[in-house]
Amino acid sequence: MNQCASEEVGFSSQRLQVIGQQMEKYMAQGTLAGAVSLICLDGKISHFECFGYRDVASQTPMTRDSLFRIYSMTKPVTSAALMVLVEEGIVALHHPVLRFLV
């Protein structure tokens, strides 16, 4: 996959800069030590950025190939499944959760 201009894929590069601003804010607050963010559509990367450190003690910077231990995949998998349903028009983001629990 090649990185291309955000607008080429359909994203606003100006809006994608907000991701970096928020990540920097979280690191300044001590909420995150580091992060890697990636946005890809139809095999084209429009945003791929590293922030902070993968090891704060040694000041080792985060890299694109940094490995992460993920303790819980419930939220990302559920979110991805929900977004598929939104794309298919089965669910709308404004629908109350109670509608689907009854």
Side-chain angles (χ1 to χ4, degrees):
M1 285 188 269
N2 296 324
Q3 187 150 357
C4 59
S6 301
E7 283 75 15
E8 189 179 318
V9 182
F11 293 101
S12 164
S13 57
Q14 197 172 29
R15 293 289 296 148
L16 290 176
Q17 289 177 358
V18 174
I19 296 170
Q21 294 166 358
Q22 281 300 119
M23 293 296 180
E24 295 294 338
K25 179 180 163 186
Y26 292 141
M27 287 181 290
Q29 294 171 343
T31 306
L32 287 176
V36 177
S37 61
L38 169 69
I39 297 177
C40 178
L41 181 65
D42 296 329
K44 296 178 184 171
I45 298 171
S46 64
H47 170 84
F48 197 178
E49 202 169 350
C50 304
F51 309 94
Y53 301 104
R54 63 179 171 186
D55 183 1
V56 177
S58 67
Q59 298 284 292
T60 306
M62 191 67 72
T63 60
R64 288 183 170 194
D65 62 349
S66 294
L67 299 177
F68 300 88
R69 181 170 181 173
I70 301 174
Y71 289 90
S72 173
M73 288 299 295
T74 305
K75 290 179 186 115
V77 170
T78 302
S79 299
L82 176 65
M83 293 314 292
V84 169
L85 295 174
V86 169
E87 284 182 348
E88 293 177 358
I90 297 170
V91 174
L93 292 177
H94 66 274
H95 287 157
V97 174
L98 186 60
R99 174 179 179 171
F100 304 100
L101 297 178
V102 180

